[in-house]
Amino acid sequence: MKKLVLGVMMSMCLVGVANAEIIGVENFEYPDGAVAGLDGGELWMWNNLVQDHTNDKSAWEVLWGNVVLQGQSLYTHGGGAVRHYGSNLFDAAFRASGVVYYSVLFTSVSGPDWGGISGYDFDNERIFFGMPGSQGDVKRFGVDQGPGYWLSDIPIELGREYHLICAIDFDGDQVRMWVDPDADDWDNGAADNSADIRRDYFGTNWNTGVRLASGGNCKWDNLVVATDFWDVVPKVARNPYPASGQKSVPLEVMLSWEPALDPDDPESPNPAITAHRLYTNFDDPDDPNLYFVAEIPNTGERVEYGPFSLATDTIYSWRVDQALPDVNDISGAVWQFETILSVPVIEDQPPYQVVEQGETAVFSVGVDSMSPPTYQWYKYVDGIDDIELADGASIAGSQTDTLSIHNAQLDDEGAYYCVVSNASGVPVPSEQALLGIQRRIAYWPFEDNSVQSVVPGSPATNVYGQPAFDSGAVGDAMVFRAGLDMLYTDPNETSYFDICNYSMSVACWVKTTTAQTWNPFVARHGEGNQGWQLRQGSMAGRPTFTTRQTGNDDGTRGNRTIADGNWHYVVGTFDGSIKKLYIDGVLSRFYSVDTGQMLRDGDEVSGMIGKTEMPVAIAGRVTGEPGELIFEYWNVVGARYDEVEIYNYALDAETIAQNYADITGQSICPEQPLYDLNNDCVVDLNDFALLASEWLMDSLLQPNL
C-alpha cells in the first residue's frame, strides 16, 4: 500500500471504516489501463438520507477523452471521469445542507491548459476548483462556478505536486479552497476558516459526486471525500521553523516543529508517535530527493534539531515523518525555505503614475541588500536600447532609489524601471512602471463618415461587418446591426491602452431598444480574467462596468435601464480602489430593495485590471490570442453609438455631469444635496422657507376611539 501524505488511511485503520464522516477514499491502486467501471478504494457507499454507508458502491465513469491509470495514479489529458458518492444518486445526494470536502493530490504535468476537481450534480458540473483555463502564460489556482472565476495569488508550477482541499458549504453558502494546507489550517464554517480562496456559493442545491478532469495532462492521487474538515486536513508534523516558503532565513539555523495531532483529539499531539524521522537535502540543495538525517524520540513537545550551517542565495528542502508502531510512517509535507540573498532584493516595486501635464511624476523602489546598493533608472524602449537616465532639467534622482520627472509632458510617457546592484555583482531590475499624462487617449465622434479615433497617435480603427452612419446625439453616429457589426482597434497596437489597467474612464452615448444581459458597449476583451467591458449587466438593459482581476469584477448593475429607445450617456470609471458607473451624468447608486437605503455608490476594487493583448472593440467584443482573434459578433446588440471616449484616469462626477449637460443643453444636478427640499440642487432660503412652512405641523393619525 502507498504511504498517504494525508494520513487519512491511517485514521481509518485506527478507528475502522465505519466512520460516517468519510464518504470515500480512492488511491487508484489498480493495474495500468482504463479506469471506467472500476470500484476499488474504500467506502463510496454513502447514503446522505441516513448519514451512513448503506448505499450500493459506485464505480468510476469516464465522461470524455483520455483518462488512464498509470503507476497507481490517475492521468487526465483532454478528458475527465466522475465518481458518485454511491450508486443510487438520489440517496447519495446532498440537498442544500451540510458541507462536502474534497482532498486530492494534483500535478499539472504538461500543457498550458486547465485542470481541476469539480462537484457534480447528477450529470452536470456545478463548481470547479483548481487551475481555470484562459489565464495566459502564468497559471494560478482558482474557483469557477460560472460565469467567470476567481483566482488566488498562488502560481502553479509545472510538474509540482500540490495538495488541494476544497469545500462546498451549503450551510454557509460558500465555497473554499486550500492549497498545500498543513496541520495548522482550520475550518469552522464560512465566517472562520484559513482557506486561500473563499467565495459566495450561488450554485444548485444538489451534489452527488466528484469529477477529475483537465485539458492538459494532469496527474491525480489520494482522493478523499468527506463531510468534516478534520478528515481531510493533514495529520502530520506541523508548525515548522523555518516556515515553509520563508525567505531571508539566517545562515545558522536550528530546525524545529511540533508533532502531528491526535486523529481522535484535534487539540492534542498524537500519543502513538514514537519518533520523528528528519530528512533534508542540505548537503546538495539542487538534488530534489531528501535523505535521512536523524531519528529524534517523541516527547509530545516541540522538537528541535541542529544547528545547520547554510549558504546564501539557496533554497533548501526538508521533511519530518512520524513513526508509529506496527504501521508505515506518516510521511510529512515537504517544507522549503530560502536563505538570505547576497543579491539585492527589491521589496517595493515602483508604482505607476498618471499625472496632469506639467506635474511631477515620482517613481521609487524599496531595496533590501547585504551590501550598499547602487541605483540606475532607465526608460524602456525595446529591452536592448533602453535609455539610461541622467539628472538634468527635468530629471532628478536617476541614480538614487527615487526618480523624479519634473514638468512631465507627453514625450515623457512610457515605462520606467530601476536596476539595483551591490557587491554581489548581480544587477537586479525592478518591474516596469508606466507614466501617463492625464488625458483622453481615444475619441470616436463618428463625424465626416469616419470610424477613426481623432486623438493623435491613437491606434487605427478597423471595421467588422457593415456598420452605417446616421444621426446621433451630436452630429453623426454609427448604427450597428445585431450579430453583424463592430469596430476594433489595430491588433498590432494594443499596448497603447495598457495604461488603462491602472486607472481609466470609458464613456459612450448609446441608443437601443434591445435589453439583454452581458452584451458589450465598449470592451477590451473583458472575459477570462483579462481586460474590461462597459456593457449590459446581469439584469437586461441595465449597464455595468466590468474590470477583471480587481475584485467585484462584474460590477454592480445600473439602477435603471437604458434600453428604451432614447439616447443615454453611460460612463465607467476605475482608479485602482473604487469603480463607479454613471448614467446620464448621474452616479448610479445601489439601494436596498427592503429598506430603500443606499447600500453603495461604487464597487471596491484593488490592484490593476487583468492584462490582455486584445484590441478595444465598439459594439462587440474581440477575444482569442494574438494572431488568432475571435470576433464575438453573436454578442452584438443592435444599437446606435456616438461620442465614444477612453481616458487614462478616472473622471470625476462634476466633469461627467458637465459633459452630459453640454451635449443635451440641459442643466443637471449630479448629486442632490441634503436638505435640498425643492430639488433645485442648492440649499438656500427657499428650502428654509419650505421647512418653516411645515414647522411643528402634526401629521400623525390618531386612532378612532
Side-chain angles (χ1 to χ4, degrees), residues 344-427:
V345 177
I346 300 178
E347 297 181 330
D348 299 312
Q349 298 291 343
Y352 80 97
Q353 299 283 299
V354 180
V355 300
E356 292 185 14
Q357 190 165 0
E359 287 189 341
T360 298
V362 179
F363 300 98
S364 62
V365 292
V367 174
D368 183 21
S369 176
M370 293 182 66
S371 56
T374 60
Y375 306 88
Q376 178 60 59
W377 288 88
Y378 293 83
K379 184 178 182 182
Y380 178 82
V381 176
D382 55 12
I384 300 174
D385 297 318
D386 297 349
I387 301 171
E388 182 177 287
L389 300 180
D391 289 358
S394 62
I395 300 293
S398 60
Q399 295 184 343
T400 71
D401 61 356
T402 301
L403 172 70
S404 298
I405 302 175
H406 302 286
N407 190 28
Q409 303 294 319
L410 288 178
D411 289 344
D412 296 315
E413 283 193 326
Y416 294 81
Y417 65 95
C418 184
V419 174
V420 184
S421 303
N422 67 3
S424 70
V426 179

Side-chain angles (χ1 to χ4, degrees), residues 537-586:
S538 59
M539 183 173 288
R542 296 195 182 189
T544 191
F545 186 31
T546 296
T547 53
R548 297 300 182 192
Q549 292 197 51
T550 64
N552 289 311
D553 284 19
D554 284 332
T556 300
R557 64 176 182 264
N559 57 17
R560 61 189 183 278
T561 184
I562 53 88
D564 57 6
N566 296 310
W567 281 106
H568 291 281
Y569 183 46
V570 184
V571 183
T573 68
F574 170 88
D575 68 3
S577 61
I578 192 168
K579 66 178 176 182
K580 297 182 178 182
L581 178 74
Y582 297 80
I583 303 174
D584 293 338
V586 179

Side-chain angles (χ1 to χ4, degrees), residues 173-241:
D173 290 323
Q174 190 180 76
V175 292
R176 303 184 279 277
M177 183 167 75
W178 292 257
V179 180
D180 284 337
D182 58 31
D184 295 311
D185 280 292
W186 74 93
D187 188 16
N188 297 320
D192 181 18
N193 59 76
S194 60
D196 295 300
I197 301 180
R198 291 178 291 272
R199 286 293 173 181
D200 292 341
Y201 179 59
F202 49 79
T204 62
N205 293 327
W206 289 64
N207 175 255
T208 63
V210 57
R211 187 193 80 175
L212 305 176
S214 64
N217 188 13
C218 291
K219 175 186 174 184
W220 307 92
D221 209 345
N222 292 3
L223 171 65
V224 181
V225 181
T227 62
D228 190 274
F229 187 72
W230 183 241
D231 286 316
V232 293
V233 72
K235 306 193 184 44
V236 296
R238 60 197 184 92
N239 196 16
Y241 175 81

Side-chain angles (χ1 to χ4, degrees), residues 288-321:
N289 300 304
L290 303 182
Y291 298 93
F292 178 76
V293 173
E295 181 172 303
I296 304 100
N298 181 44
T299 64
E301 304 295 330
R302 188 170 183 88
V303 184
E304 285 192 342
Y305 191 85
F308 293 89
S309 296
L310 308 174
T312 61
D313 307 303
T314 306
I315 295 176
Y316 291 96
S317 301
W318 61 300
R319 186 187 82 228
V320 175
D321 292 352

Side-chain angles (χ1 to χ4, degrees), residues 133-150:
S134 302
Q135 291 193 54
D137 293 335
V138 178
K139 301 293 193 297
R140 293 181 288 165
F141 284 106
V143 174
D144 186 354
Q145 52 182 331
Y149 51 77
W150 300 273

Side-chain angles (χ1 to χ4, degrees), residues 586-600:
V586 179
L587 180 62
S588 176
R589 294 181 169 89
F590 189 72
Y591 296 87
S592 169
V593 296
D594 298 317
T595 66
Q597 292 182 326
M598 188 187 76
L599 299 179
R600 57 185 178 273

